[in-house]
Amino acid sequence: MLARSTLSRIVWLFLIGTSWAWAAPALHAPATANIGTPVTIAFTGNANPRNFITIVVKGAPEGRYDEYGYADASGKIELHAPATPGDYEIRLLSADSPYPTLARAPLKATAVTATLEAPAQVGAGAEFKVKWTGPNNERDYIAIGNAERPYLVYEYTRYGNPVVLRAPDAGGEYELRYFLGNGDKVIGSRKFTIGAVTASLQGPTEAVAGSTFAVTWKGPNNPSDYITVVPKGAQEGTSGNYEYPSRGNPAKLLAPLQAGEYELWYATGQTHTTLAKANIRITPAKQEPGKLVVTAANAVATGGGIEIILDASGSMLQKMGGQRRIDIAKQTLSKLTSSDIPAGTPFALRVFGREVDSCQTDLDIPVSPLSAAAVDAKIKALEAKNNARTPIGASLEKVSSDLAAIRGERLVVLLTDGEETCGGDPAAAIAALTKAGATVRVNIVGFAIEDPKLAVTFSHWAALGNGSYFDAKDAAGLSKALTQSMRPSFEVVTPQGQVIATGVAGGDPIGVMPGNYSVRIKGQTSRAQSVTIESKATATVKL
């Protein structure tokens, strides 16, 4: 038996060592913080890691909470000061309803401002620089907006000073706006004008089917503007064979294979607005075209990986044939990952659109060997949300880090039913991916896309990413489109290096004028196979 003095000493040491468990909970944080800025909050005396800390307006009813973090063993968390100046309270709330307050500390949110410096007028579609001053919080951004929309395009301040923005295609009065990332509050703005732009085209009045012809142009030559040849009277936003003015003047276009009456268009890259037109007649060639079939190959070569980006925004809740779009997409993706993609293939899944009025994008499945059962379970748990936004550009920007462990070919498949609504720049994100060094293919599957201009946008984005656009009008079309998206896109090249046709391996035969060509997977100039196309005959190439 221990002596009484020894026992007393043990009890005393125990109480000293565990005194925190009986101490009253306490919060330690700055008394003031600029609106929208991160606030580090330390805490002591918390006995339940499920208790949580929040910031609410001073005098808010018990149990009220906004942004919060759990009071875990780390002893501190970071929350954002509210976006509106005023008196607030930091509260430690019990995990048990009705969430009584266990500790509190005052916080005054103080106003902060920003300034913006830019040209008073820029041309429609033009890129320009904006110098700024401001808090430069992690998610702060500078945007172009107008009376109808708070922002049309934006760029994060963390990407530099000045930031580079691209003006909308439509002229008029606009505002530059500095937004706090937390709360989307404008803390600085200035008005500016976007001036209208014009263009003109001068090309031949006739061209032979399948031939190349030159078109001299005048126009803004903004990024992704293009010159295209389309059937006469085509709907605005239609795109046929095209070339970017940025690649030279005159532009070299490929004539369609079908003879008939056509038009040349100079179109803007953002909204596909036609700035100029010219008539052209396509006359029959001396020989009729042949056909080329390229057989299917594996989705990615050994050592490669696949990432699927899924749109779960509010529009995916619309019904199609009695089912919600999101449910059709989930069923089709589960089938795809259980049958079309080999087990063990390095695979990642990113999802956006699950938070109301948010541009959040999440990596639900980090890259790992594909397990169809695990993917199926994750997909079944997905739910779309009304009023969630569509951050296509932001999601594509994450691909490089998502697939950083992949050293071989990277296949990215974007499945979406709507346009970018977070002010991002998907085209720039795709261009950055293709310039990063590794072989990347970006295929885009448009689900129930009714706007032909949006379909053209997706097609051009996919072409920038060495991929293809697949249009899915219904459930059966989505299944086919996703299956095709797993196959590589190819291009047919003349001995002079001109691309005269493109297609998808394992897809439908494509028409090609008679001659000698090489066939290669898009973006892989070192791997090509020769083929001779004869009139009215079919040639086959296996890549």
Side-chain angles (χ1 to χ4, degrees):
M1 179 178 293
L2 293 171
R4 179 173 296 180
S5 61
T6 304
L7 179 61
S8 299
R9 185 174 300 160
I10 292 174
V11 171
W12 179 79
L13 290 172
F14 175 78
L15 290 174
I16 290 297
T18 60
S19 61
W20 64 268
W22 285 275
L27 298 171
H28 311 278
T32 63
N34 288 334
I35 57 174
T37 58
V39 179
T40 299
I41 304 164
F43 53 89
T44 56
N46 178 59
N48 185 349
R50 292 178 54 247
N51 294 341
F52 58 101
I53 297 172
T54 188
I55 301 175
V56 296
V57 66
K58 184 177 180 180
E62 280 293 297
R64 178 73 57 82
Y65 62 88
D66 290 312
E67 180 189 8
Y68 66 88
Y70 288 105
D72 57 24
S74 66
K76 66 179 180 180
I77 65 167
E78 186 175 88
L79 298 176
H80 290 91
T84 302
D87 292 318
Y88 294 84
E89 279 188 344
I90 305 170
R91 294 180 181 177
L92 172 64
L93 302 184
S94 170
D96 300 319
S97 180
Y99 316 121
T101 301
L102 305 177
R104 67 185 74 212
L107 177 71
K108 180 181 285 293
T110 56
V112 63
T113 60
T115 64
L116 300 165
E117 182 182 337
Q121 179 169 331
V122 299
E127 290 185 339
F128 64 102
K129 296 179 179 180
V130 181
K131 294 181 180 180
W132 55 268
T133 64
N136 193 24
N137 298 318
E138 176 64 19
R139 295 192 298 112
D140 288 1
Y141 58 99
I142 295 169
I144 300 172
N146 57 19
E148 289 76 34
R149 295 179 61 179
Y151 54 82
L152 300 161
V153 297
Y154 70 88
E155 187 59 273
Y156 290 110
T157 57
R158 66 174 182 265
Y159 288 156
N161 193 356
V163 298
V164 177
L165 294 176
R166 184 175 176 186
D169 283 343
E173 299 300 319
Y174 292 82
E175 267 192 352
L176 288 170
R177 296 165 177 165
Y178 187 115
F179 283 86
L180 288 179
N182 182 53
D184 296 312
K185 182 181 179 66
V186 177
I187 61 170
S189 65
R190 64 167 294 167
K191 297 183 183 296
F192 78 112
T193 302
I194 296 178
V197 292
T198 60
S200 64
L201 295 170
Q202 185 175 353
T205 58
E206 289 188 353
V208 176
S211 68
T212 301
F213 60 94
V215 179
T216 303
W217 56 269
K218 291 182 180 180
N221 193 20
N222 290 321
S224 67
D225 285 0
Y226 60 99
I227 298 168
T228 185
V229 53
V230 299
K232 189 174 180 64
Q235 181 180 1
E236 180 87 356
T238 302
S239 179
N241 295 340
Y242 65 91
E243 184 57 276
Y244 296 110
S246 59
R247 292 180 177 170
N249 197 354
K252 302 294 181 65
L253 265 71
L254 185 68
L257 297 182
Q258 183 69 41
E261 299 296 326
Y262 289 81
E263 291 178 332
L264 300 171
W265 290 357
Y266 186 112
T268 63
Q270 294 186 109
T271 60
H272 308 286
T273 301
T274 303
L275 299 181
K277 293 184 178 182
N279 293 324
I280 185 171
R281 177 182 293 109
I282 303 301
T283 59
K286 293 181 179 179
Q287 290 183 292
E288 293 186 39
K291 291 184 178 181
L292 173 65
V293 173
V294 177
T295 57
N298 293 331
V300 290
T302 301
I306 297 172
E307 178 168 1
I308 292 177
I309 301 175
L310 174 62
D311 181 350
S313 60
S315 56
M316 290 289 279
L317 293 172
Q318 295 183 41
K319 288 193 173 182
M320 174 183 289
Q323 280 188 296
R324 301 183 306 173
R325 293 178 186 173
I326 187 64
D327 294 327
I328 296 172
K330 288 162 64 174
Q331 294 162 13
T332 309
L333 283 174
S334 291
K335 179 183 176 182
L336 180 81
T337 53
S338 63
S339 58
D340 289 12
I341 306 176
T345 299
F347 177 86
L349 174 66
R350 176 169 287 278
V351 181
F352 62 79
R354 290 178 298 181
E355 293 188 19
V356 175
D357 196 28
S358 171
C359 292
Q360 184 70 19
T361 173
D362 300 299
L363 185 62
D364 275 31
I365 301 178
V367 65
S368 56
L370 174 65
S371 165
V375 174
D376 183 63
K378 181 68 73 171
I379 289 174
K380 284 180 177 177
L382 294 177
E383 279 297 335
K385 288 287 182 67
N386 270 321
N387 300 316
R389 291 188 266 176
T390 310
I392 295 175
S395 298
L396 289 166
E397 287 175 359
K398 300 287 187 182
V399 168
S400 182
S401 59
D402 292 350
L403 300 181
I406 303 300
R407 294 292 174 260
E409 182 182 16
R410 306 173 186 184
L411 170 61
V412 181
V413 178
L414 167 67
L415 168 54
T416 181
D417 71 341
E419 62 182 338
E420 164 75 46
T421 61
C422 287
D425 191 343
I430 292 171
L433 278 173
T434 59
K435 292 177 182 177
T439 301
V440 176
R441 286 186 285 124
V442 179
N443 288 335
I444 300 177
V445 177
F447 189 24
I449 302 298
E450 297 177 355
D451 182 357
K453 290 186 178 182
L454 183 57
V456 171
T457 295
F458 288 159
S459 179
H460 286 200
W461 288 352
L464 284 173
N466 299 316
S468 299
Y469 171 65
F470 304 92
D471 195 46
K473 297 299 185 186
D474 51 27
L478 182 62
S479 179
K480 179 180 179 181
L482 281 172
T483 297
Q484 290 182 324
S485 74
M486 292 294 108
R487 300 167 182 164
S489 301
F490 67 85
E491 51 194 11
V492 183
V493 188
T494 67
Q496 294 75 35
Q498 181 187 16
V499 177
I500 55 95
T502 61
V504 178
D508 296 332
I510 62 170
V512 181
M513 295 304 296
N516 297 316
Y517 304 95
S518 60
V519 181
R520 67 193 184 199
I521 294 175
K522 281 187 178 180
Q524 298 185 18
T525 56
S526 61
R527 294 165 55 186
Q529 295 195 34
S530 299
V531 64
T532 298
I533 304 296
E534 298 179 353
S535 179
K536 296 188 286 186
T538 299
T540 300
V541 169
K542 182 178 181 180
L543 293 176

